[in-house]
């Protein structure tokens, strides 16, 4: 199956730890720099109206805009489908729906996540949202297989290269594999400080992420106490832009079609400059 969207090899992941005005500025700059996709992190927010997505699409020329993610506990599929059709009619293949079940620690009434996700996809089917226009936030094999069978592919978050290699083996050929990768431009000591602060809270307190890391080569010692240096160095790769670019390419070598690059910096201005520096090498 060929996807109706074009992601490019590298995109930017824009986390809600920055306000929407800043993220819009970063998305517009990413479009101008030549990145293929702007992934809009949503956290637990309801986004079925796709208002922020529409704002980014209207403010850019060619970049694909992807939700990361529509949370099935926060949004209903029918209004999401209505918004999708409205935007697809105007912006065509520049829109991708990333969909997922979120985390039990952050959702009241979290139960039967797999069945809930399947029901959500069934209802999107009934509302005419094509499978080529959606991907799943998949970590474990069961949801990777669902992504393979019911969507265009997978958008794993907080994963090492080893997961990318494994995910490709599950998805097989012809499906999108677009992992997120955090990066910190800078020397090891400061970069680890920045990366560890970002990863420790909340991610190392969310058991689906921790369990996934334990399945892919890390130990209990790696995922406790704020994370070992080895873990932080893998999840928030650091160094010069050239060194980081090499680490990002390792995901592609392991089977990724696209890497969603989440730059972490001490300020939005630093992050914007890092996007530019990496674009000069990657694009």
């Amino acid at each position: 199956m060929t996807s109706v969207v074009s992601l490019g090899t590298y995109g930017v992941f824009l986390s809600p730890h920055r306000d929407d005005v800043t993220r819009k500025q970063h998305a517009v700059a990413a479009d101008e720099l030549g990145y293929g996709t702007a992934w809009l992190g949503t956290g637990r927010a309801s986004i079925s109206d796709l208002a922020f997505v529409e704002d980014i699409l209207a403010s850019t020329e060619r970049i694909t805009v992807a939700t990361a993610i529509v949370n099935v506990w926060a949004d209903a599929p029918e209004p999401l489908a209505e918004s999708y059709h409205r935007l697809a009619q105007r912006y065509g293949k520049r829109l991708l729906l990333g969909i997922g079940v979120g985390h039990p620690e952050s959702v009241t009434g979290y139960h039967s996540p797999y069945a809930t996700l399947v029901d959500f996809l069934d209802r999107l089917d009934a509302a005419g949202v094509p499978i080529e226009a959606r991907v799943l936030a998949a970590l474990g094999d069961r949801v990777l297989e669902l992504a393979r069978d019911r969507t265009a592919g997978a958008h794993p978050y907080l994963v090492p290269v080893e997961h990318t290699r494994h995910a490709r083996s599950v998805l097989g050929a012809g499906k999108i594999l677009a992992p997120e990768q955090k990066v910190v431009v800078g020397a090891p000591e400061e970069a680890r400080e920045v990366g560890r602060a970002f990863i420790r809270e909340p991610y190392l307190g969310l058991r689906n992420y921790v369990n996934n890391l334990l399945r892919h080569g890390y130990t209990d010692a790696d995922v406790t106490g704020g994370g070992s240096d080895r873990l932080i160095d893998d999840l928030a790769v650091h160094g010069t832009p050239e060194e980081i670019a090499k680490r990002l390419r390792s995901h592609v070598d392991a089977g990724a079609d696209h890497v969603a690059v989440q730059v972490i910096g001490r300020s939005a201005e630093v992050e914007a400059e890092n996007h530019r520096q990496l674009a000069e090498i990657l694009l």
Side-chain angles (χ1 to χ4, degrees), residues 13-126:
F13 188 103
L14 302 176
S15 166
H17 81 285
R18 299 293 178 202
D19 62 69
D20 284 353
V21 172
T22 299
R23 294 202 292 164
K24 180 178 176 179
Q25 292 171 346
H26 286 179
V28 170
D31 185 43
E32 295 170 350
L33 288 167
Y35 286 99
T37 303
W39 297 84
L40 303 182
T42 60
R44 289 174 283 175
S46 172
I47 61 164
S48 59
D49 62 2
L50 297 180
F52 187 46
V53 173
E54 184 170 14
D55 188 17
I56 301 301
L57 285 166
S59 302
T60 52
E61 295 294 330
R62 40 141 224 106
I63 200 168
T64 296
V65 180
T67 60
I69 58 170
V70 174
N71 190 311
V72 300
W73 307 102
D75 286 298
E78 289 78 15
L80 175 66
E82 182 179 349
S83 298
Y84 166 80
H85 288 302
R86 183 185 76 250
L87 295 185
Q89 184 174 23
R90 182 169 183 180
Y91 298 102
K93 299 178 183 180
R94 293 179 57 206
L95 172 61
L96 180 66
L97 298 178
I99 300 163
V101 295
H103 315 286
E105 294 86 352
S106 60
V107 176
T108 301
Y110 191 97
H111 68 285
S112 305
Y114 184 84
T116 301
L117 186 54
V118 169
D119 178 69
F120 199 95
L121 294 175
D122 289 344
R123 291 161 67 184
L124 288 181
D125 287 344

Side-chain angles (χ1 to χ4, degrees), residues 3-276:
S3 172
V4 298
V5 299
S6 175
L7 299 181
T9 306
Y10 298 100
V12 295
F13 188 103
L14 302 176
S15 166
H17 81 285
R18 299 293 178 202
D19 62 69
D20 284 353
V21 172
T22 299
R23 294 202 292 164
K24 180 178 176 179
Q25 292 171 346
H26 286 179
V28 170
D31 185 43
E32 295 170 350
L33 288 167
Y35 286 99
T37 303
W39 297 84
L40 303 182
T42 60
R44 289 174 283 175
S46 172
I47 61 164
S48 59
D49 62 2
L50 297 180
F52 187 46
V53 173
E54 184 170 14
D55 188 17
I56 301 301
L57 285 166
S59 302
T60 52
E61 295 294 330
R62 40 141 224 106
I63 200 168
T64 296
V65 180
T67 60
I69 58 170
V70 174
N71 190 311
V72 300
W73 307 102
D75 286 298
E78 289 78 15
L80 175 66
E82 182 179 349
S83 298
Y84 166 80
H85 288 302
R86 183 185 76 250
L87 295 185
Q89 184 174 23
R90 182 169 183 180
Y91 298 102
K93 299 178 183 180
R94 293 179 57 206
L95 172 61
L96 180 66
L97 298 178
I99 300 163
V101 295
H103 315 286
E105 294 86 352
S106 60
V107 176
T108 301
Y110 191 97
H111 68 285
S112 305
Y114 184 84
T116 301
L117 186 54
V118 169
D119 178 69
F120 199 95
L121 294 175
D122 289 344
R123 291 161 67 184
L124 288 181
D125 287 344
V129 176
I131 65 172
E132 297 89 352
R134 63 203 195 203
V135 294
L136 294 186
L139 295 177
D141 286 3
R142 196 179 187 199
V143 180
L144 283 167
E145 290 166 358
L146 186 66
R148 177 194 65 203
D149 297 339
R150 300 288 305 276
T151 78
H155 171 53
Y157 186 92
L158 199 78
V159 293
V161 171
E162 289 75 12
H163 183 273
T164 296
R165 187 172 294 107
H166 175 76
R168 174 51 70 197
S169 73
V170 176
L171 290 173
K175 290 291 182 174
I176 292 171
L177 178 54
E180 174 268 351
Q181 175 67 66
K182 296 171 183 60
V183 307
V184 185
V185 178
E189 185 174 348
E190 181 180 4
R192 284 182 187 135
E193 180 183 349
V194 172
R196 181 171 281 112
F198 198 91
I199 291 168
R200 179 182 58 233
E201 181 63 39
Y203 301 116
L204 293 185
L206 299 174
R207 64 177 180 266
N208 58 342
Y209 286 134
V210 170
N211 289 341
N212 188 59
L213 292 168
L214 293 174
R215 287 193 296 266
H216 291 282
Y218 301 97
T219 67
D220 288 336
D222 287 314
V223 299
T224 56
S228 67
D229 285 352
R230 177 172 82 105
L231 179 73
I232 300 304
D233 289 352
D234 287 345
L235 298 183
V237 300
H238 58 75
T240 66
E242 292 79 9
E243 291 168 335
I244 288 172
K246 183 177 180 180
R247 295 288 300 276
L248 293 172
R249 291 185 187 113
S250 66
H251 278 286
V252 178
D253 293 341
D257 303 290
H258 171 91
V259 184
V261 182
Q262 182 171 186
V263 171
I264 306 170
R266 293 193 183 277
S267 70
E269 292 75 19
V270 168
E271 292 169 357
E273 174 60 18
N274 293 162
H275 285 148
R276 185 194 65 76

